[in-house]
Amino acid sequence: MEDIQALIQKLDWDTPAAEQAEAIHKLQDIRDEQLHLLLQPLGKEYWDGAAEVIVKLGYPRVKPILPGLLEWIQDMNWPGSRRIAPFLREIGDPLIPYIQDVFRNQSQDEEWMYWIFEVILDHWSPEQIAQLQEELIRLTAGGTIGLKALRILWVHQIYSGEAVQLLLEDKKQRALAEIVELDNVHPGIDCEALERGFREVSAQFGLSKSYMEQHREEFSFCYQKSSLHDLVSEIEELANEVRQTH
């Protein structure tokens, strides 16, 4: 067999299609101990081809690199992620321990968890979701991720609609109280005026970085307040969805 690294080099976007297809075919003979070389190799221009190799290898051949494949969907803008995501979704139950590990130990990575919900859990069966019940219940304490966990628990009838509505109302009141507290701690900050000033300085003088440094505290306040308002809107949207089914 041709050198593995040489074949991976041929997965580049700029490699002629026939040559790339041949490399993908030959890489089906890769040894288990070399599988890790296919995990987002070299630069991003190789990732689409590597994802194609992985999908063609199929499960259970790729079992040794499942944790690395799950990491591939940390950002769905990454090349190959749109190919890897449905592949992982179809693997199903064998992926559950690795998702549990992310939910237990990587809960600060909200973007990663968001994509796990979006491209995997939102498409899984009640039987599969039930195996993640403990982790999902723990996640309900969070913000946007908490809402996604609550929605899944409700959709799969682990939580009743009434229970979800009570939890959502509590979340909403807490978020509104945080907004009030922010306003009390930072009275008089006009976020719209701050944003207008930023646009004007950026357009006229190109001093946006300096402007943001000078107003760092105000920008931090406005970001926190905007995020809380967004959370309230998300809570109301889910609460309305739950109400409409009763």
Side-chain angles (χ1 to χ4, degrees), residues 121-127 129-130 151-159:
L121 301 192
D122 285 351
H123 305 272
W124 269 6
S125 69
E127 292 75 22
I129 295 301
R151 188 181 189 282
I152 278 197
L153 290 167
W154 164 61
V155 166
H156 293 283
Q157 301 180 345
I158 296 170
Y159 275 5

Side-chain angles (χ1 to χ4, degrees), residues 11-208:
L11 300 178
D12 188 337
W13 288 330
D14 294 330
T15 300
E19 191 175 343
Q20 188 183 92
E22 183 183 10
I24 290 171
H25 175 73
K26 288 182 177 180
L27 282 165
Q28 301 306 295
D29 295 325
I30 193 170
R31 297 193 302 272
D32 287 354
E33 63 269 23
Q34 297 174 313
L35 285 169
H36 69 280
L37 298 173
L38 294 172
L39 292 171
Q40 297 176 311
L42 305 174
K44 290 184 178 180
E45 63 269 27
Y46 299 86
W47 295 4
D48 280 322
E52 187 66 27
V53 174
I54 287 165
V55 171
K56 286 183 177 297
L57 285 169
Y59 187 85
R61 271 299 310 279
V62 300
K63 184 177 180 179
I65 58 170
L66 279 183
L69 293 179
L70 193 57
E71 290 177 7
W72 205 319
I73 65 166
Q74 285 176 314
D75 185 338
M76 290 301 293
N77 291 311
W78 284 341
S81 62
R82 299 287 171 180
R83 195 79 172 91
I84 294 296
F87 176 64
L88 289 175
R89 187 162 66 233
E90 292 302 317
I91 288 173
D93 286 13
L95 195 62
I96 289 173
Y98 304 104
I99 292 177
Q100 288 173 323
D101 183 65
V102 173
F103 285 174
R104 290 169 183 167
N105 302 309
Q106 304 292 333
S107 59
Q108 76 285 353
D109 193 337
E110 292 204 356
E111 182 178 4
W112 191 6
M113 292 196 296
Y114 175 87
W115 287 119
I116 289 173
F117 276 98
E118 282 285 306
V119 302
I120 298 176
L121 301 192
D122 285 351
H123 305 272
W124 269 6
S125 69
E127 292 75 22
Q128 290 166 322
I129 295 301
Q131 297 178 65
L132 290 162
Q133 178 175 327
E134 180 181 342
E135 288 73 28
L136 290 169
I137 290 172
R138 189 183 304 115
L139 289 175
T140 59
T144 297
I145 295 302
L147 296 182
K148 293 192 78 63
L150 272 176
R151 188 181 189 282
I152 278 197
L153 290 167
W154 164 61
V155 166
H156 293 283
Q157 301 180 345
I158 296 170
Y159 275 5
S160 68
E162 291 79 5
V164 170
Q165 288 190 69
L166 287 172
L167 289 167
L168 289 173
E169 182 59 27
D170 180 66
K171 279 183 174 292
K172 180 178 177 180
Q173 293 308 317
R174 287 173 182 270
L176 291 172
E178 284 190 56
I179 292 171
V180 171
E181 184 178 354
L182 274 174
D183 282 330
N184 289 336
V185 173
H186 303 280
I189 295 179
D190 187 334
C191 292
E192 291 186 2
L194 186 69
E195 182 63 27
R196 281 199 304 273
F198 174 76
R199 289 197 300 268
E200 289 170 4
V201 167
S202 298
Q204 296 178 16
F205 308 107
L207 300 175
S208 56

